[in-house]
Amino acid sequence: MADAEFDVLVLGAGSGGYACALRAAQLGLKVGLVEKGNLGGTCLHVGCIPTKALLHAAEVADSAREAAQFGVNATLEGVDMPGVNAYKDKVVERLFKGLTGLIKSRGITVIEGTGTLTGPRTVTVDGTEHTGTHVVLASGSYSRTLPGLEVDGTRVMTSEHALRLDHVPASAIVLGGGVIGCEFASVWKSFGADVTIIEALPRLVAGEDEASSKALERAFRKRRISFLTGTPFQSVKTTDTGVAVTVEGGDVIEAEVLLVAVGRGPSTDGLGYAERGIAMERGFVLADERCRTNVEGVYAVGDIVPGLQLAHRGFQQGIFVAEDIAGLDPRPVDEAGIPRVTYSHPEVASVGLDEARARELHGDDVTTITYDLGGNGKSQILQTQGFVKLVGLKEGPVLGVHMVGDRVGELIGEAQLIYNWEAHAEDVAPLVHAHPTQNEALGEAHLALAGKPLHAHS
């Protein structure tokens, strides 16, 4: 296409980029959207959506394996990975087609190719310059690895490779006990693999409240998922049957495959950001609470900005930037108010401050309550264990909600409203929660925090 000038020019069509483009177009702005791959980015194609499809297939496998406890005669004959992948790919393809049609219907100009920032208002794609009154950097992230660790995609792989596996590995080592590592460990165990997680930090999902980490570790032990915490990785070598991983201390662990799940890095190399004077740190783009970089008219959203690397964070930042450009003066996104979910079996979900951080900020004014899902009817029907833990001020709002148990990710919607609206326990306690639902556990926890526990020991 010929040179074009836009009100908003977005570099990257992942969750942050396409959300910004859609909202800007909705507000009557002329929008250009640059993308070298498929619309939807990491989340839709090699992240959130396909991994959660695998996790659902894993849940179905567990349901078949454990059917007898519900009085249902069923057996798990095995897992057909080509069939699982076909199901996963169908989900992705349907959402991709829907997004493509939506962007087209909004009159957004999609510019296909690798974009480079060649001026404060200019993005060059395949030799053609495109300019925008406002430029939004949304180039996303990539799977990190470690120095000296060579990823071959067969024996040593990232999550992108793992999503394309055509068989269930007999055994797997997962390097990294964060969200991605725990989710894949959970999937592979449900599919029948022997799994060992290696984590350098003292506990799994170390970004969560310590109680949540301990609950997930107990559940993983019960499922016979092995894990080593506080154990740094040293080296890996391939063998005739797979890989041999050496950890600090000299112990060697062998398996068919090694999944490297040590986090994601910002995709900013070679895109011209630093050359155009954009302030950077360790590859990340520095931006203020309004997503503005140090260069006038240039914004940054999503995984390239330091903070939680979550699709819904980028999505909300994208909407915010579009509204800010349009002069609507939107409220900045509160990082602590962004819900977090690990979709393992069981799930871990949270929003707000964990207990340790709350006590750092508020000391003895902090109070906590933990409601065990053993008292929740729907959780007993589902045969899941876990809890809802509330962190609050003694004479103030709820500061954090932390949950463990199957399907608790579905409860995070109400939890984030409670936190973001600065509700007190006394505000939530009178609300009616349908019975029997796991949602009642939130109500019961707030009853307890308000000093009137019912299905809980006081």
Side-chain angles (χ1 to χ4, degrees):
M1 60 177 287
D3 292 10
E5 186 168 334
F6 302 93
D7 297 318
V8 182
L9 182 57
V10 185
L11 179 53
S15 299
Y18 84 69
C20 182
L22 287 172
R23 183 67 177 125
Q26 192 176 54
L27 292 169
L29 300 174
K30 183 181 180 183
V31 182
L33 184 59
V34 179
E35 176 54 54
K36 65 179 179 180
N38 289 326
L39 299 176
T42 293
C43 173
L44 176 54
H45 298 283
V46 291
C48 319
I49 298 302
T51 56
K52 277 52 182 181
L54 285 187
L55 283 153
H56 181 63
E59 182 182 356
V60 173
D62 286 332
S63 296
R65 185 185 291 111
E66 299 162 4
Q69 68 174 305
F70 303 104
V72 176
N73 295 324
T75 57
L76 178 62
E77 295 181 1
V79 175
D80 170 25
M81 278 309 298
V84 171
N85 287 334
Y87 147 70
K88 165 180 62 71
D89 294 343
K90 184 177 180 181
V91 171
V92 171
E93 183 62 24
R94 183 171 182 178
L95 291 170
F96 172 57
K97 285 183 177 179
L99 177 60
T100 301
L102 185 61
I103 286 175
K104 184 178 180 180
S105 72
R106 294 283 175 86
I108 296 167
T109 300
V110 176
I111 305 162
E112 297 181 357
T114 300
T116 305
L117 191 67
T118 51
R121 302 285 195 284
T122 306
V123 174
T124 299
V125 184
D126 296 332
T128 301
E129 291 187 349
H130 306 273
T131 59
T133 305
H134 306 275
V135 172
V136 182
L137 309 179
S139 45
S141 61
Y142 65 92
S143 291
R144 283 189 186 275
T145 185
L146 296 175
L149 203 166
E150 185 176 341
V151 173
D152 61 20
T154 304
R155 299 287 198 193
V156 181
M157 61 186 66
T158 66
S159 58
E160 286 91 339
H161 303 117
L163 284 168
R164 298 195 293 267
L165 273 181
D166 60 2
H167 69 286
V168 178
S171 56
I173 298 168
V174 177
L175 183 57
V179 174
I180 296 171
C182 286
E183 289 184 349
F184 271 99
S186 187
V187 165
W188 281 339
K189 185 62 179 180
S190 295
F191 285 170
D194 290 327
V195 182
T196 301
I197 302 171
I198 299 172
E199 171 56 59
L201 294 175
R203 51 191 173 92
L204 300 182
V205 288
E208 296 290 345
D209 188 88
E210 186 173 356
S212 297
S213 291
K214 296 305 180 187
L216 182 65
E217 289 175 3
R218 285 193 297 271
F220 273 16
R221 286 191 194 99
K222 189 173 181 180
R223 295 183 62 195
R224 298 183 178 178
I225 296 175
S226 300
F227 56 88
L228 301 172
T229 53
T231 307
F233 162 87
Q234 279 197 338
S235 63
V236 60
K237 66 177 183 178
T238 56
T239 68
D240 292 339
T241 56
V243 294
V245 174
T246 302
V247 298
E248 191 172 277
D251 288 343
V252 177
I253 305 159
E254 296 193 44
E256 181 183 331
V257 298
L258 169 65
L259 171 66
V260 182
V262 293
R264 298 187 64 83
S267 292
T268 57
D269 280 355
L271 299 184
Y273 297 173
E275 291 80 355
R276 303 286 82 75
I278 303 292
M280 310 278 290
E281 184 176 287
R282 295 180 298 109
F284 288 95
V285 175
L286 300 181
D288 65 13
E289 67 169 5
R290 303 193 74 81
C291 300
R292 298 174 299 197
T293 71
N294 62 308
V295 175
E296 182 71 23
V298 180
Y299 295 77
V301 300
D303 287 359
I304 62 172
V305 180
L308 294 169
Q309 291 180 308
L310 297 170
H312 44 282
R313 171 184 181 249
F315 184 86
Q316 198 61 36
Q317 287 177 334
I319 294 172
F320 170 88
V321 166
E323 294 182 351
D324 197 58
I325 290 170
L328 300 184
D329 193 27
R331 177 182 174 182
V333 177
D334 175 10
E335 289 278 326
I338 298 170
R340 309 170 289 270
V341 185
T342 302
Y343 295 89
S344 51
H345 168 43
E347 293 182 355
V348 179
S350 64
V351 65
L353 306 181
D354 65 11
E355 182 177 350
R357 180 60 177 154
R359 293 197 183 280
E360 282 180 18
L361 296 174
H362 303 286
D364 292 338
D365 288 337
V366 170
T367 184
T368 68
I369 194 79
T370 300
Y371 172 75
D372 196 295
L373 293 185
N376 176 256
K378 187 59 179 287
S379 295
Q380 293 311 297
I381 291 168
L382 295 173
Q383 294 288 281
T384 188
Q385 297 177 327
F387 58 76
V388 174
K389 176 180 177 179
L390 303 181
V391 178
L393 288 178
K394 291 177 181 176
E395 300 295 333
V398 174
L399 300 175
V401 182
H402 305 273
M403 300 178 284
V404 178
D406 288 339
R407 306 188 187 181
V408 296
E410 297 301 322
L411 308 184
I412 204 66
E414 181 179 356
Q416 65 98 10
L417 293 178
I418 291 167
Y419 171 82
N420 283 294
W421 286 345
E422 300 179 356
H424 293 223
E426 294 79 3
D427 298 324
V428 182
L431 301 178
V432 181
H433 293 81
H435 176 75
T437 62
Q438 283 186 296
N439 205 237
E440 285 178 284
L442 273 173
E444 292 275 0
H446 284 84
L447 280 168
L449 191 62
K452 43 186 177 181
L454 293 186
H455 294 92
H457 296 288
S458 56

